[in-house]
């Protein structure tokens, strides 16, 4: 116990000194993040105009949003409602639906550089009974946000450093366990198991589980979600994510990486012309340096907007042109049928 007290005292003294010398080592004192992040992806994603587009293209199918999952089967509940009560119930259902469609944040992974706080060789091999052991010191104060907590490691050679990304996640899960999150990475996220799940088309299950297991800037979260998006892009199973909270981040990923052609084709084949035009608008917002964005585009004309993309930005213009032509013909046929019926 005397040894632990001595090491703890030395750590506290070092932390106090380092805060006065360099407050950026301990950002909870100034209200910033624990790591240095690249803001480009985050800033693009949270732009109001980008968020509005992503919300629109996600869709809002209440039956799909509140679909019963095999693990959530309960006996049906019936109620007799007045017209006013039914209207209020519908409003509440819409509100809950919007909440369930809240998109997970899109972030870049942190640059995990080792940050040495102090080097004290005079206490090298301080734990004689456990040579080579490391001591971890964690701020467990009440009211401190998860990302703001200070976690430092005392190496056996006396070096005091900030915990790396993996150590932080592991220690935080020990002290502040989150429901559903496992201490170690589940097997389902390993490459072989992940590919098997993707082959079965369990995209929503994978993405929902990733949101529980990982932080949004965890390299594993980014790897799993991006691999899932790529699999969906290859199989053209975009409709599986419509009216789910994952459709927006997927569309953003395709837009950011200039891979919108397949998703646009899917929209046109499903007669979602406005969604296709929104995705073109998203492309122009994310890539203002492109040739097409410098041209004058009437974004209020959905058909002209999609044609513009096909002419200037599409990598697979043939498939897009055929899908657009099919949509135009179906629309004309519906208008003719409606005119004949009237």
């Amino acid at each position: 116990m005397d040894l632990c007290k001595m090491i703890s005292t030395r750590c506290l003294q070092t932390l106090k000194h380092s805060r006065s010398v360099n407050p950026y080592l301990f950002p909870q004192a100034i209200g910033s993040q624990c790591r240095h992040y690249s803001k480009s992806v985050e800033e693009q994603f949270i732009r109001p105009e980008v968020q509005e587009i992503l919300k629109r293209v996600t869709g809002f199918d209440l039956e799909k949003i509140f679909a019963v999952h095999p693990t959530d089967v309960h006996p049906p509940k019936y109620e007799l409602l007045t017209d006013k009560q039914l209207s209020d119930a519908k409003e509440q259902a819409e509100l809950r639906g919007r909440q369930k469609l809240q998109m997970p944040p899109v972030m870049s992974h942190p640059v995990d550089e080792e940050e040495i706080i102090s080097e004290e060789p005079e206490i090298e091999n301080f734990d004689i009974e456990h040579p080579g052991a490391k001591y971890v010191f964690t701020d467990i104060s009440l009211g401190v946000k998860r990302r703001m907590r200070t976690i430092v490691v005392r190496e056996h050679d006396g070096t005091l450093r900030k915990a790396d990304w993996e150590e932080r996640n592991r220690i935080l899960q020990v002290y502040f366990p989150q429901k559903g999150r496992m201490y170690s990475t589940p097997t389902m996220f390993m490459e072989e198991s992940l590919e098997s799940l993707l082959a079965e088309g369990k995209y929503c299950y994978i993405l929902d589980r990733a949101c529980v297991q990982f932080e949004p800037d965890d390299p594993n979260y980014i790897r799993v979600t991006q691999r899932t998006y790529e699999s969906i892009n290859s199989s053209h199973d975009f409709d599986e994510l419509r009216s789910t909270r994952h459709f927006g981040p997927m569309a953003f990923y395709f837009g950011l990486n200039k891979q919108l052609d397949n998703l646009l084709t899917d929209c046109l084949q499903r007669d979602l012309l406005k969604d296709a035009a929104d995705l073109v608008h998203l492309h122009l917002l994310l890539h203002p340096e492109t040739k097409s964005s410098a041209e004058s585009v009437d974004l209020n004309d959905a058909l002209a907007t999609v044609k513009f993309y096909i002419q200037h930005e599409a990598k697979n213009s043939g498939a897009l042109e055929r899908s657009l032509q099919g949509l135009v013909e179906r629309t004309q046929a519906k208008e003719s049928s409606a005119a004949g019926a009237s």
Side-chain angles (χ1 to χ4, degrees):
M1 291 299 295
D2 292 338
L3 176 62
C4 291
K5 289 181 179 179
M6 180 190 74
I7 299 299
S8 300
T9 302
R10 293 293 292 273
C11 281
L12 289 173
Q13 291 173 347
T14 306
L15 293 178
K16 289 178 181 179
H17 174 71
S18 59
R19 282 183 179 179
S20 62
V21 174
N22 185 1
Y24 297 99
L25 289 174
F26 298 92
Q28 71 271 31
I30 57 175
S32 62
Q33 293 291 338
C34 296
R35 290 281 194 268
H36 299 290
Y37 295 98
S38 169
K39 295 297 184 182
S40 57
V41 175
E42 293 91 321
E43 286 182 345
Q44 291 274 45
F45 182 71
I46 64 174
R47 290 170 63 182
E49 56 269 39
V50 169
Q51 286 288 302
E52 285 301 317
I53 289 174
L54 296 179
K55 289 176 182 177
R56 286 199 299 267
V57 300
T58 292
F60 192 69
D61 183 352
L62 285 175
E63 289 189 7
K64 187 171 183 180
I65 294 172
F66 293 108
V68 178
H69 298 283
T71 56
D72 299 330
V73 176
H74 300 288
K77 182 180 178 181
Y78 300 97
E79 294 183 13
L80 295 176
L81 303 176
T82 64
D83 290 343
K84 178 64 168 60
Q85 290 173 328
L86 180 60
S87 177
D88 292 342
K90 288 181 178 179
E91 288 182 6
Q92 289 298 317
E94 269 198 38
L95 179 61
R96 292 198 305 272
R98 297 293 179 191
Q99 293 172 344
K100 287 176 73 69
L101 290 182
Q102 180 65 46
M103 292 177 281
V106 175
M107 304 175 68
S108 56
H109 64 78
V111 178
D112 203 359
E113 298 177 353
E114 187 176 55
E115 297 182 33
I116 303 297
I117 300 172
S118 69
E119 295 181 350
E120 301 178 67
E122 63 272 18
I123 61 172
E124 183 178 356
N125 296 322
F126 51 84
D127 193 341
I128 301 176
E129 295 183 2
H130 305 92
K134 303 176 184 179
Y135 278 28
V136 179
F137 299 87
T138 307
D139 178 7
I140 58 172
S141 305
L142 295 176
V144 180
K145 292 182 179 180
R146 192 178 182 88
R147 287 177 172 271
M148 310 299 285
R149 295 187 181 277
T150 300
I151 302 178
V152 297
V153 178
R154 175 72 78 179
E155 297 282 358
H156 65 89
D157 63 358
T159 300
L160 183 67
R161 62 173 176 81
K162 292 186 69 175
D164 62 31
W165 184 251
E166 185 179 352
E167 290 168 335
R168 283 188 62 85
N169 286 341
R170 189 168 65 249
I171 296 302
L172 286 172
Q173 184 61 16
V174 171
Y175 284 103
F176 308 98
Q178 292 193 340
K179 184 178 179 181
R181 181 172 295 185
M182 299 178 66
Y183 181 74
S184 57
T185 303
T187 307
M188 65 170 286
F189 295 121
M190 302 306 176
E191 185 174 355
E192 185 176 347
S193 300
L194 179 61
E195 292 301 323
S196 297
L197 290 172
L198 290 173
E200 296 175 17
K202 296 184 177 180
Y203 308 118
C204 285
Y205 172 70
I206 294 170
L207 294 172
D208 284 339
R209 191 69 185 84
C211 287
V212 174
Q213 180 63 35
F214 306 115
E215 294 296 318
D217 54 354
D218 189 309
N220 279 314
Y221 177 83
I222 296 172
R223 172 183 61 84
V224 170
T225 54
Q226 291 184 357
R227 179 67 193 95
T228 304
Y229 302 153
E230 290 165 2
S231 179
I232 292 172
N233 195 33
S234 299
S235 60
H236 293 211
D237 288 333
F238 304 105
D239 201 51
E240 291 294 320
L241 293 193
R242 280 196 173 87
S243 292
T244 74
R245 58 179 175 162
H246 306 295
F247 191 89
M250 179 188 69
F252 178 81
Y253 173 78
F254 293 146
L256 196 64
N257 292 280
K258 298 184 178 181
Q259 298 177 4
L260 280 173
D261 285 21
N262 289 343
L263 181 54
L264 284 171
T265 301
D266 182 78
C267 289
L268 296 176
Q269 291 174 346
R270 295 178 185 276
D271 295 343
L272 301 174
L273 180 60
K274 290 185 178 180
D275 286 2
D278 275 333
L279 291 171
V280 174
H281 187 191
L282 175 68
H283 173 83
L284 299 179
L285 288 172
L286 297 178
H287 303 286
E289 76 287 352
T290 60
K291 176 183 176 182
S292 63
S293 62
E295 305 284 346
S296 58
V297 184
D298 184 6
L299 296 173
N300 294 318
D301 188 337
L303 186 61
T305 300
V306 175
K307 286 182 177 179
F308 189 87
Y309 177 89
I310 295 173
Q311 294 170 1
H312 292 85
E313 295 295 323
K315 298 176 182 176
N316 189 5
S317 58
L320 280 168
E321 285 178 352
R322 290 191 295 273
S323 299
L324 182 60
Q325 183 59 35
L327 180 146
V328 171
E329 291 174 356
R330 288 191 297 273
T331 302
Q332 291 174 346
K334 289 179 182 178
E335 292 175 351
S336 300
S337 177
S342 61

